[in-house]
Amino acid sequence: MGLIDEIRKKRDSWMGRLEEHRQDEGEYEDASMINSGKEEEEILRKRRMVGVFTRKERVK
């Protein structure tokens, strides 16, 4: 049963790491809410520009 025990240990260590990562993300959600307005504006601006081609001036 040594192989099964090794697999369980690896799984448990990964599960612990994932849980720590989730907790870390929770701390930064508040900070990301501040920038969400800027991000929304940027997304809307880029959506308006999809398929729009501007002419470039020729250099003489």
Side-chain angles (χ1 to χ4, degrees), residues 5-16:
D5 292 334
E6 287 179 33
I7 298 298
R8 285 183 180 153
K9 287 179 185 176
K10 288 181 182 179
R11 180 197 65 195
D12 292 341
S13 70
W14 278 104
M15 294 301 289

